[in-house]
Amino acid sequence: MKKLHIVSNRLPFSIVSEEDKFLLKPSVGGLATGMKSVYKDFEGRWIGWPGIATDSYTVDQFKEIEGLLDKEGCDTVPLTADEVHTFYEGFCNRTIWPLFHYFNQYVDYSPEFWESYVEVNQKFADKTLEVVEDGDFVWVHDYQLMLVPGMLKAKRPDITIGFFLHIPFPSYEVFRILPWRNELLEGLLGADLIGFHTYDYERHFLSSVRRLFGYEISFNQIHINERIILADAFPMGIDYDKFHDSAIKTISRPMQEKSTLHKELEKYFLVSPDRKLILSIDRLDYSKGIPNRLRAFEKFLEKFPEYRTKVTLVMLAVPSRNSVPQYQRLKREVDELVGRINGLYGTVNYAPVWYFYRSMPFENLVELYSMSDVALLTPVRDGMNLVAKEYVASRTNQTGVMIISEMTGVVKEMGEAIVINPNHESQVADAIKQALEMPIDEQRARMSVIQKRLKRYDVFKWAEQFVSSLKRIAQIQTDFLAKKITTKLSKKLLDDFSKAKSRAIFLDYDGTLTHFKKVTREAEPSAAPDYPLHEILNALTSDERNEVVLISGRDKETLSKWFDGSDVSLISEHGVWMRERGSDWQMLTNATNSWMPMVRPILDSFVVRTPGTYLEEKNYSLVWHYEKAEAELGELRAKELKDELTTMVANHNLEIMEGNKVVEVKTGGINKGVAANRYLLNKQFDYILAMGDDWTDEYLFKELPPEAVTIKVGIKHTNASYKLETVDAVRNFLRVMSENH
Ligand code: ADQ
């Protein structure tokens, strides 16, 4: 069975030294929980850094630590203190973290940080390469390791690689600021599946790929040469039952077994039963919006004096990244704000803010969750925010109100919460009042819906879905490779061809025989055949057993001009006209163009509204070209155009065809399949070959007799029997056909 390995910056254990030996302390974080189920089930290894710098230990000590981790299925990537500084504290937390959370002013562009990021990513990749076997799966995690997928793919194209980003992927306008944006994207595109918490992050990522590299993207698939890469949203869940079950235990625990914290909290309520607790928990990070939360709480106390002495904000902040200057400044700012509020509104037996600057054991977290009336989470940016989910899971009696920032990933799964803009202090102050006054029935109605959703899609489901998408993309690649014409298959096809005495060869033109040319001027939308192509076609037609038919969407004037004097037959405008070798053009169908005056103004208006696009007028069709338009706008307008044309199409027997960056309107009932069969009528061939790249060619593949050899150019899903990746491969194939047979 294939294995699945996990690669993440941190291993799921921390190292504790006790007396003269080392111990491993398992992490309790969301990632560790979700992944444990995965890597054990798939017998994989977990590759990562154990959280300690190698230089602080002797060689023997480090070996001992590696040995302990090895027994737990972990492979260690050793990092020196210097690397921790430049890679983790440097590029990860002073460059990527602020940029991806839209704190552009905090971004440090030091090239030495970048160099270290490349080197350390290579270390992770190298360690992984030591572990993987043929056809294994690898799941790489987060922003610290964005280059690893590319490094792995370069050495081992046979493995299937997934990548999950736990933080937001920013809008292209922000991402482009980074000098190393191309390298990061290339690294990510080494993965076969790229996962994000939300569709918005996925959209931003695809937009950057499109704008920086111009790769073809259909829905959420990116097509790069022979590869298909899938991008998708997988909102990460929590271990719902663990929080829920612990909360039940916490509440039912007898007095003597209760923790000190629990007793403290109960004392708070003893003073007056209508007292309320508001809770916030986060790492002390500028993305979490802690100062604006405090200011909003201050505003709440100022605006609604009746709540003074009745409401306390319990604010838990885990120390984080203390060595980075912005975090030190944030710490000071928070200390000052807490001091100010407590000074202003505190009394002898009332503190408006209880501020804990430390980590807390799991049991205490659950106590806080289950005893707080309101959770107030106000990040200015947050990839997901698992605390919000943990609060919901711990509300066993389904009371409690969630106030959540619209800048978090989790908000997409919490439509029933009170959603706020964290920068709008008075809105947050009003939201606090609304939450405190919300009737119990309404609280239960809202909470129960969110609970159901989170229970269903917990961290195990999340991991399972990611892994099943990873398997699916591996299958898509395999299907593609199964249709791909290998050297062996190519030999067989050529053998059959050489045995045949009469052959019909249908060839699409643009994208099949010649590359799509980026059009530079509207007046020159052409990609005329070059000399090597003429040579290939001449070689084929000079063999009297061959009939070569060029079957194209282009108009008959262009084709006549380009193939003047050539012995190929021509079918133009997807099958409106045909010119058999040595004859004149004849119309294959009763096409009409009386509809054009009606449709042309619509297309014209799209040309005017969409810079870079133009209208091509053929005898029986109108084509709107948007290959030079800004990619996303072009696609958006193409959808709009199809929508606008729908009624007209039905009433006038028209058809809309979508080619490669074109929308074409033409008389219905005409397609390349019908035309090819008209050509074949009353003729006898013992070998039929058809090649084409876009979906207008699918008609050809579908409607030709089943024994025909049909070849799709490119990697998309197709009705054709085989696939060749590129125009060059097509030309080579035809050249060999003409030379040797
Ligand atoms: P974080 O920024 O760390 O994670 P979050 O999702 O809220 O943010 O997870 C924090 C975790 O730490 C929670 O499980 C919480 O219980 C725990 N925690 C917080 N305070 C604690 C305390 N005082 N004591 C003990 N434990 C505490 C990053 C991204 C997020 C994304 C996650 C997961 O920034 O947006 O949701 O990864 O992908």
Side-chain angles (χ1 to χ4, degrees):
M1 196 189 80
K2 284 176 186 138
K3 294 179 182 153
L4 183 127
H5 311 282
I6 308 296
V7 190
S8 68
N9 179 46
R10 284 295 304 271
L11 286 171
F13 294 95
S14 27
I15 316 298
V16 212
S17 71
E18 227 171 58
E19 288 158 16
D20 58 346
K21 61 180 182 14
F22 295 107
L23 296 175
L24 299 185
K25 189 168 154 251
S27 313
V28 286
L31 180 64
T33 315
M35 287 305 100
K36 250 176 219 155
S37 63
V38 172
Y39 92 110
K40 288 266 159 68
D41 286 358
F42 289 89
E43 297 173 3
R45 305 281 297 173
W46 191 318
I47 296 118
W49 175 54
I52 47 168
T54 35
D55 6 24
S56 319
Y57 297 85
T58 64
V59 176
D60 286 343
Q61 281 177 323
F62 203 78
K63 272 211 179 108
E64 187 188 335
I65 292 167
E66 277 182 317
L68 289 173
L69 287 164
D70 178 51
K71 282 199 203 111
E72 294 294 332
C74 296
D75 285 290
T76 307
V77 180
L79 297 183
T80 62
D82 197 36
E83 282 168 332
V84 175
H85 173 66
T86 49
F87 157 72
Y88 182 63
E89 288 158 8
F91 199 74
C92 294
N93 290 334
R94 295 174 72 160
T95 309
I96 305 182
W97 181 272
L99 187 76
F100 279 38
H101 286 87
Y102 295 78
F103 280 81
N104 306 353
Q105 71 279 23
Y106 288 176
V107 180
D108 188 328
Y109 296 102
S110 306
E112 57 275 21
F113 285 175
W114 164 249
E115 281 152 25
S116 174
Y117 188 77
V118 178
E119 278 165 26
V120 172
N121 270 248
Q122 192 63 58
K123 277 190 160 190
F124 277 82
D126 290 345
K127 181 57 86 178
T128 311
L129 289 165
E130 285 172 21
V131 169
V132 288
E133 290 164 18
D134 287 356
D136 276 358
F137 288 70
V138 178
W139 184 354
V140 184
H141 286 271
D142 224 2
Y143 67 103
Q144 301 91 351
L145 303 177
M146 289 199 272
L147 302 178
V148 169
M151 291 167 168
L152 293 178
K153 198 51 125 191
K155 291 264 169 62
R156 293 294 299 266
D158 62 300
I159 58 175
T160 305
I161 305 166
F163 180 89
F164 188 84
L165 186 70
H166 289 262
I167 64 173
F169 194 95
S171 134
Y172 170 68
E173 286 304 327
V174 168
F175 184 65
R176 69 191 300 195
I177 297 173
L178 194 68
W180 307 281
R181 62 206 183 174
N182 285 22
E183 288 86 340
L184 282 190
L185 274 195
E186 268 162 19
L188 288 175
L189 290 170
D192 301 283
L193 171 66
I194 304 167
F196 303 90
H197 282 305
T198 72
Y199 171 64
D200 281 339
Y201 309 151
E202 175 193 332
R203 207 163 49 76
H204 291 156
F205 167 72
L206 290 175
S207 157
S208 288
V209 170
R210 200 182 271 126
R211 285 157 192 244
L212 290 174
F213 296 145
Y215 290 140
E216 195 185 333
I217 296 171
S218 60
F219 299 103
N220 57 350
Q221 294 187 358
I222 308 162
H223 298 250
I224 309 174
N225 302 324
E226 282 194 42
R227 296 182 54 220
I228 301 176
I229 297 159
L230 197 69
D232 214 340
F234 303 87
M236 185 175 174
I238 56 161
D239 186 348
Y240 186 94
D241 291 338
K242 183 175 155 196
F243 280 89
H244 196 78
D245 297 348
S246 307
I248 292 175
K249 270 194 217 129
T250 299
I251 288 163
S252 52
R253 205 169 278 149
M255 195 50 170
Q256 64 277 17
E257 287 175 27
K258 287 186 176 168
S259 72
T260 325
L261 176 76
H262 199 145
K263 287 179 193 155
E264 281 294 311
L265 293 171
E266 286 191 344
K267 249 196 252 162
Y268 169 79
F269 287 109
L270 274 181
V271 175
S272 152
D274 61 349
R275 272 190 156 184
K276 303 268 185 185
L277 276 187
I278 301 175
L279 176 68
S280 80
I281 298 187
D282 357 55
R283 274 184 310 101
L284 191 75
D285 193 294
Y286 49 76
S287 66
K288 303 288 182 183
I290 299 172
N292 44 278
R293 177 184 312 154
L294 286 166
R295 280 192 292 267
F297 183 62
E298 183 179 12
K299 174 136 236 127
F300 162 78
L301 292 174
E302 177 199 314
K303 227 175 148 180
F304 308 109
E306 66 275 24
Y307 279 105
R308 293 178 199 164
T309 75
K310 292 207 178 116
V311 178
T312 291
L313 170 65
V314 180
M315 201 175 81
L316 189 57
V318 193
S320 181
R321 305 174 194 169
N322 302 330
S323 62
V324 180
Q326 285 98 10
Y327 288 73
Q328 295 159 2
R329 277 208 297 275
L330 175 68
K331 164 95 176 53
R332 280 199 298 277
E333 189 184 358
V334 170
D335 286 348
E336 278 165 26
L337 278 167
V338 171
R340 187 173 83 196
I341 300 171
N342 283 344
L344 265 176
Y345 297 108
T347 64
V348 181
N349 51 15
Y350 167 70
V353 185
W354 287 355
Y355 173 39
F356 299 90
Y357 176 60
R358 61 180 161 96
S359 189
M360 266 198 193
F362 174 74
E363 290 69 29
N364 289 155
L365 275 189
V366 176
E367 281 166 345
L368 282 171
Y369 286 140
S370 53
M371 296 187 74
S372 302
D373 305 277
V374 176
L376 177 62
L377 300 171
T378 57
V380 284
R381 281 296 155 181
D382 208 341
M384 170 52 74
N385 195 303
L386 297 179
V387 170
K389 295 189 170 183
E390 294 169 0
Y391 175 70
V392 169
S394 309
R395 304 302 304 170
T396 51
N397 63 0
Q398 300 183 322
T399 61
V401 183
M402 177 85 212
I403 303 176
I404 185 80
S405 157
E406 64 184 52
M407 313 297 177
T408 59
V410 76
V411 77
K412 311 274 179 220
E413 296 168 86
M414 291 206 177
E416 297 76 9
I418 301 179
V419 178
I420 48 93
N421 176 339
N423 304 307
H424 194 332
E425 278 168 25
S426 66
Q427 185 201 38
V428 179
D430 292 346
I432 296 175
K433 181 166 187 284
Q434 185 196 346
L436 294 170
E437 292 172 2
M438 189 180 286
I440 294 286
D441 284 353
E442 187 182 342
Q443 292 183 24
R444 290 213 164 104
R446 290 179 184 230
M447 190 57 86
S448 59
V449 180
I450 314 179
Q451 284 191 338
K452 228 182 259 161
R453 193 177 299 135
L454 298 190
K455 186 172 166 58
R456 207 171 38 225
Y457 198 78
D458 64 7
V459 68
F460 306 108
K461 195 88 197 158
W462 169 77
E464 193 186 303
Q465 294 216 339
F466 189 90
V467 173
S468 76
S469 290
L470 205 52
K471 287 183 186 158
R472 188 160 66 86
I473 191 69
Q475 192 56 48
I476 293 176
Q477 297 280 11
T478 314
D479 291 349
F480 164 64
L481 293 175
K483 285 194 167 188
K484 188 179 157 177
I485 300 185
T486 55
T487 321
K488 194 167 150 213
L489 182 60
S490 158
K491 198 171 165 314
K492 182 185 174 305
L493 293 175
L494 291 168
D495 276 355
D496 293 348
F497 179 78
S498 66
K499 283 183 206 137
K501 294 197 174 56
S502 59
R503 308 120 169 193
I505 304 168
F506 293 98
L507 301 172
D508 166 53
Y509 184 73
D510 296 85
T512 301
L513 294 179
T514 176
H515 293 284
F516 274 99
K517 289 254 163 74
K518 281 258 181 217
V519 186
T520 45
R521 284 202 317 273
E522 188 175 325
E524 191 195 33
S526 76
D530 51 18
Y531 181 70
L533 177 60
H534 275 303
E535 259 192 341
I536 294 168
L537 295 175
N538 289 343
L540 281 170
T541 51
S542 65
D543 184 333
E544 60 187 20
R545 292 169 296 177
N546 297 337
E547 290 290 342
V548 178
V549 186
L550 297 190
I551 186 160
S552 162
R554 289 192 177 264
D555 60 31
K556 68 184 199 317
E557 288 72 22
T558 309
L559 293 181
S560 301
K561 191 171 79 194
W562 285 351
F563 296 99
D564 183 32
S566 165
D567 272 335
V568 292
S569 296
L570 300 170
I571 293 177
S572 74
E573 295 186 48
H574 303 290
V576 176
W577 297 92
M578 175 162 80
R579 187 186 84 178
E580 289 198 53
R581 171 152 70 146
S583 321
D584 283 334
W585 285 102
Q586 54 158 321
M587 202 179 211
L588 290 181
T589 167
N590 286 333
T592 149
N593 54 16
S594 58
W595 49 271
M596 281 190 182
M598 219 165 32
V599 173
R600 193 182 296 111
I602 300 177
L603 296 182
D604 275 337
S605 79
F606 276 77
V607 172
V608 174
R609 289 198 301 134
T610 324
T613 68
Y614 66 91
L615 181 64
E616 183 192 359
E617 201 156 324
K618 300 190 203 169
N619 295 326
Y620 294 94
S621 68
L622 292 173
V623 194
W624 180 66
H625 289 256
Y626 62 92
E627 56 268 60
K628 282 293 281 178
E630 198 275 298
E632 282 170 7
L633 180 65
E635 272 157 35
L636 192 77
R637 288 281 151 81
K639 279 198 200 103
E640 224 180 279
L641 175 60
K642 277 184 288 167
D643 217 44
E644 206 163 319
L645 290 169
T646 313
T647 16
M648 220 168 256
V649 165
N651 295 341
H652 295 86
N653 183 32
L654 299 177
E655 240 171 53
I656 303 176
M657 302 190 46
E658 262 195 290
N660 201 325
K661 308 271 182 202
V662 297
V663 175
E664 178 157 6
V665 190
K666 63 176 194 56
T667 310
I670 300 170
N671 67 51
K672 289 184 178 178
V674 173
N677 281 324
R678 274 290 297 278
Y679 177 87
L680 292 172
L681 207 67
N682 304 326
K683 296 190 183 77
Q684 279 299 319
F685 292 100
D686 52 10
Y687 190 96
I688 301 172
L689 170 72
M691 289 178 158
D693 73 304
D694 79 28
W695 76 263
T696 63
D697 301 304
E698 293 297 317
Y699 287 105
L700 192 60
F701 303 147
K702 245 190 306 198
E703 295 186 27
L704 281 174
E707 64 276 13
V709 174
T710 50
I711 301 176
K712 166 91 172 176
V713 184
I715 54 174
K716 285 193 198 154
H717 177 75
T718 179
N719 292 302
S721 329
Y722 306 109
K723 289 180 179 178
L724 276 174
E725 304 96 75
T726 59
V727 168
D728 294 335
V730 170
R731 287 188 175 200
N732 272 339
F733 190 78
L734 293 175
R735 196 175 287 119
V736 179
M737 261 181 168
S738 69
E739 282 167 1
N740 303 341
H741 305 271

